[in-house]
Amino acid sequence: MAEGKIIKALSGFYYVLSEGRVYQCRGRGVFRKRKVTPLVGDYVSFQAENEREGYILDVFERKNELVRPPIANIDQAILVFSAVEPDFNPALLDRFLVLIEAKHIRPIIVVSKMDLVDDETKPRIEQYICDYRQIGYDVLEVSTKTRAGVESLLPYFEGNVSVFAGQSGVGKSSLLNALRPDLQLKTGHISHHLGRGKHTTRHVELIEIGGGFVADTPGFSALEFDEIALEQLPLCFPEFVARSGGCKFRGCTHTAEPKCAVKEAFASGDIPCYRYEHYVSFVEEIKERKPRY
């Protein structure tokens, strides 16, 4: 019995990477009975007579999973947001960050198209970058046109499974092309799906970049907070978590309660006003969510 990682799922076959070789496997019927579907990214045990005929015997416990695209055991999400064209969108970035924090996935923020930033826009973009770095996020500034900053992303891939996410039209496929020029066809596939939220991609594959794996379809195409409970939301804002010990009430929601350390930090300017305002709007969105039966 061997162990490996599923790197591709296609037409009922699972392609398992084990000790440098890829085995084409089918799932056992027992998975259907247990209502377990093997996913790309799963660590599995399998048996195979050769590289074309194998069977997955067991799927090991997952640390997380996404529905769209169907992938498991993601280490990090590369969030690509352009400085301009389209304009930097902190409200959408904060929405992505909440969804990623809730899944215990490490976010890395990449601000693209930095070569297009003019003198008028530059202070605003630099302030956003400073704000997110102060929270504790890694923020990289890149331009695929000049290749500035592109190489700085490579070390993040090593030993990790990554998904790309972000706005449509921000240069995610260009960034992947810059990192691996031989992926021209695959990045066409990526750009077709990124940021649309309309497509259900049945074929998911992990591609090797920088000593790690990157999903060839975008993560977080559904951006609703359907799975996030109200009490979970403050935990998805690291700067709130860092201050929550100073709140008078345990389980403080940082909205209406008196003597709230988070609201005090917001009032004093230690927490950027847009971050707190986005949080409050997310609270309202979750409160207004229709219950699922």
Side-chain angles (χ1 to χ4, degrees):
M1 190 170 67
E3 294 180 3
K5 181 204 289 276
I6 298 175
I7 60 166
K8 183 166 76 167
L10 182 63
S11 305
F13 288 103
Y14 302 98
Y15 296 83
V16 180
L17 178 66
S18 179
E19 297 182 355
R21 296 167 72 183
V22 177
Y23 298 85
Q24 180 178 286
C25 298
R26 289 189 179 277
R28 288 281 196 199
V30 67
F31 293 122
R32 282 192 294 278
K33 288 178 192 161
R34 285 164 46 196
K35 295 187 176 174
V36 172
T37 301
L39 297 177
V40 168
D42 270 333
Y43 292 99
V44 298
S45 62
F46 69 100
Q47 65 180 39
E49 298 294 319
N50 53 57
E51 290 181 17
R52 304 291 297 169
E53 297 175 74
Y55 286 93
I56 293 173
L57 303 175
D58 198 11
V59 175
F60 301 144
E61 189 176 350
R62 297 165 182 156
K63 67 178 180 180
N64 55 44
E65 64 182 274
L66 297 183
V67 177
R68 286 188 284 176
I71 183 171
N73 299 315
I74 303 132
D75 297 302
Q76 59 191 16
I78 316 290
L79 293 178
V80 187
F81 277 71
S82 57
V84 292
E85 296 183 20
D87 287 343
F88 187 79
N89 187 338
L92 187 59
L93 174 55
D94 286 344
R95 182 173 285 273
F96 271 107
L97 287 169
V98 166
L99 292 163
I100 285 160
E101 294 277 4
K103 292 280 188 183
H104 306 291
I105 296 169
R106 177 190 181 198
I108 293 152
I109 300 167
V110 175
V111 183
S112 64
K113 303 188 184 180
M114 289 299 291
D115 57 294
L116 300 179
V117 176
D118 59 26
D119 292 340
E120 188 183 341
T121 312
K122 195 172 185 182
R124 185 173 63 88
I125 297 300
E126 286 180 342
Q127 186 58 56
Y128 281 130
I129 289 169
C130 178
D131 289 345
Y132 284 102
R133 282 179 177 154
Q134 278 195 315
I135 292 166
Y137 292 119
D138 286 9
V139 185
L140 307 181
E141 304 167 55
V142 307
S143 163
T144 53
K145 197 169 184 182
T146 66
R147 288 195 62 84
V150 170
E151 299 299 324
S152 67
L153 188 54
L154 274 174
Y156 287 93
F157 292 119
E158 189 165 353
N160 290 311
V161 173
S162 308
V163 292
F164 272 68
Q167 285 165 282
S168 192
V170 296
K172 290 179 286 286
S173 53
S174 301
L175 186 55
L176 278 167
N177 258 339
L179 291 163
R180 272 223 17 210
D182 60 312
L183 291 177
Q184 289 285 347
L185 287 171
K186 288 182 178 174
T187 50
H189 172 66
I190 290 166
S191 62
H192 177 63
H193 292 288
L194 273 171
R196 305 288 164 82
K198 294 174 187 170
H199 303 276
T200 302
T201 308
R202 291 181 185 172
H203 166 215
V204 182
E205 186 172 354
L206 294 178
I207 51 179
E208 290 191 61
I209 293 183
F213 292 97
V214 178
D216 75 337
T217 49
F220 298 92
S221 53
L223 296 176
E224 294 77 33
F225 295 143
D226 291 347
E227 297 178 6
I228 297 174
L230 194 57
E231 58 271 18
Q232 189 185 5
L233 185 64
L235 304 178
C236 300
F237 283 73
E239 70 272 44
F240 291 16
V241 175
R243 292 172 171 87
S244 60
C247 295
K248 182 178 180 182
F249 297 100
R250 281 186 67 184
C252 181
T253 65
H254 317 307
T255 51
E257 299 90 342
K259 296 188 179 174
C260 166
V262 169
K263 286 198 295 180
E264 287 167 9
F266 159 60
S268 68
D270 288 344
I271 289 176
C273 62
Y274 62 88
R275 281 282 286 176
Y276 185 74
E277 286 164 3
H278 296 159
Y279 169 76
V280 171
S281 73
F282 296 161
V283 167
E284 292 307 311
E285 184 178 329
I286 291 171
K287 280 182 177 176
E288 290 167 11
R289 181 174 62 200
K290 290 191 175 88
R292 287 187 296 174
Y293 298 103

